[in-house]
Amino acid sequence: MKSSSDFTLHILGCGSAFPTPRHNPSCQVIDHRGSLYMIDCGEGAQATMRRMKLKFSRLRHIFISHLHGDHLLGLPGLLSTLSLSQVAGTVTVHIHAEGERLLRPLVDMLCPERSYSLQWDILNPAGGETLVDTGKLKVTTFPLFHRVACCGFRFDTSGPSRRLLGDMLDHYQVPVAMRADIAAGADFVTPSGDVIPNSWLSVPTPPPRSYAYCSDTVRSRAVAAAVAGVTTLYHEATYADADASLAVPRGHSTARQAGEVARQAGVGKLIIGHYSKRYNSTDTLLGEAREVFPDTFAADEGKVFDI
Ligand SMILES: [Zn+2]
Ligand SMILES: [Zn+2]
């Protein structure tokens, strides 16, 4: 599935811990203007990346939410393959401290001479960190509430609110020094005193967009506050109402609870995933989430969502 948007979410895996023929364990890739950011890296991630034609050479950051196998066991294989693919530049793995301690020696043994520079960045489980800031995209963390330390990730775009029209700037001979003011919305006053309205010199850009990833976690008002107002929210929906009693003891949520978080947070749309193996289809989960939050969609391997 192709998208013309410059900010997209690609679902590589949306099952939970137990493997099924229907779903891979957790993995997704954000494509922002051609740079790829992977969130969790369950088994099968690298093969699915190739199937979805996501280029290894564009992968810059990998964020691992927590140290359960269904979120990280694809990582050693992927990091080895990046070298086989002659990926250059720097790839940064953001992971909890114990994960770095265990995986770093394994990756160094499997792949001692890499084509790229591998950086390990230790996550603070309390959240509140900025992991990436390109000036156009910022990635920050917030705590999730699971059986082990777990981080959610929030992606926020930013940039000028207007795009300059080069031909018009040249036509009115707008000095380079004034172009930042024009991008901020100012009119241009010519040396002879004529006012050229901003709308002749620039056009509005799309409003900032944002994406938040919440897997795995119990339902939480703190999580709803951390993801308030995002354009697109991914929230785990491991269980249906019929199995709701399992959710809190296992550190997970129901689909209905995911809908409640989306409603509390006032998000644009909700995508659910991390389905328990016990369900043969997502129909019940999707229906229960939609009763609370109608703009809900079910993740599935190979799906691409505009953010
Ligand atoms: Zn999980
Ligand atoms: Zn987990």
Side-chain angles (χ1 to χ4, degrees):
M1 203 188 302
K2 285 249 181 263
S3 167
S4 58
S5 167
D6 64 355
F7 193 25
T8 48
L9 165 67
H10 303 248
I11 305 294
L12 281 70
C14 56
S16 58
F18 202 93
T20 74
R22 295 179 300 282
H23 296 295
N24 292 334
S26 292
C27 182
Q28 38 186 257
V29 169
I30 298 288
D31 182 341
H32 182 247
R33 298 180 167 208
S35 292
L36 303 185
Y37 302 82
M38 180 177 280
I39 311 171
D40 283 335
C41 188
E43 285 175 271
Q46 55 171 320
T48 312
M49 232 182 128
R50 297 203 64 194
R51 210 171 291 130
M52 293 181 72
K53 301 196 174 359
L54 295 163
K55 287 201 164 69
F56 291 137
S57 59
R58 293 188 173 167
L59 184 60
R60 287 286 154 256
H61 293 268
I62 302 170
F63 309 94
I64 303 294
S65 63
H66 67 294
L67 303 182
H68 280 159
D70 56 321
H71 296 257
L72 61 76
L73 284 176
L75 191 56
L78 174 63
L79 293 176
S80 299
T81 301
L82 293 185
S83 206
L84 290 176
S85 302
Q86 295 299 310
V87 166
T90 299
V91 175
T92 304
V93 176
H94 306 267
I95 192 167
H96 294 277
E98 185 73 353
E100 186 265 352
R101 194 181 69 75
L102 293 168
L103 287 176
R104 188 175 193 150
L106 176 63
V107 173
D108 287 347
M109 182 198 74
L110 294 171
C111 194
E113 290 182 13
R114 285 180 286 266
S115 63
Y116 61 99
S117 166
L118 177 60
Q119 305 286 326
W120 296 86
D121 174 49
I122 306 303
L123 291 172
N124 180 347
E129 294 184 288
T130 298
L131 305 181
V132 176
D133 190 352
T134 67
K136 292 179 176 149
L137 180 72
K138 195 188 252 198
V139 184
T140 53
T141 63
F142 55 93
L144 297 174
F145 303 96
H146 191 39
R147 305 195 306 277
V148 298
C150 191
C151 282
F153 303 104
R154 181 173 167 144
F155 294 66
D156 287 275
T157 64
S158 61
S161 59
R162 302 192 68 82
R163 181 170 62 79
L164 298 176
L165 300 171
D167 289 353
M168 298 300 280
L169 296 175
D170 292 343
H171 178 77
Y172 288 104
Q173 298 181 349
V174 178
V176 172
M178 291 201 61
R179 296 189 176 191
D181 291 343
I182 307 294
D187 295 334
F188 173 57
V189 182
T190 66
S192 56
D194 294 330
V195 176
I196 310 300
N198 188 278
S199 59
W200 295 9
L201 305 170
S202 70
V203 290
T205 55
R209 287 155 294 159
S210 46
Y211 171 68
Y213 174 83
C214 301
S215 181
D216 305 353
T217 186
V218 296
R219 175 194 40 193
S220 159
R221 284 190 180 277
V223 169
V227 304
V230 295
T231 320
T232 303
L233 170 68
Y234 176 90
H235 196 289
E236 72 131 285
T238 307
Y239 297 115
D241 285 349
D243 303 304
S245 62
L246 300 174
V248 169
R250 298 186 181 181
H252 289 300
S253 304
T254 65
R256 183 177 302 278
Q257 290 169 340
E260 288 166 357
V261 171
R263 192 175 59 186
Q264 278 169 10
V267 307
K269 69 172 179 259
L270 168 66
I271 299 167
I272 55 169
H274 201 272
Y275 313 119
S276 165
K277 69 177 190 307
R278 72 197 63 222
Y279 309 118
N280 290 322
S281 105
T282 55
D283 292 351
T284 302
L285 297 165
L286 188 58
E288 289 173 357
R290 281 185 171 166
E291 281 177 24
V292 185
F293 192 79
D295 288 327
T296 302
F297 303 86
D300 201 5
E301 283 72 8
K303 267 194 186 172
V304 181
F305 294 92
D306 286 348
I307 295 174

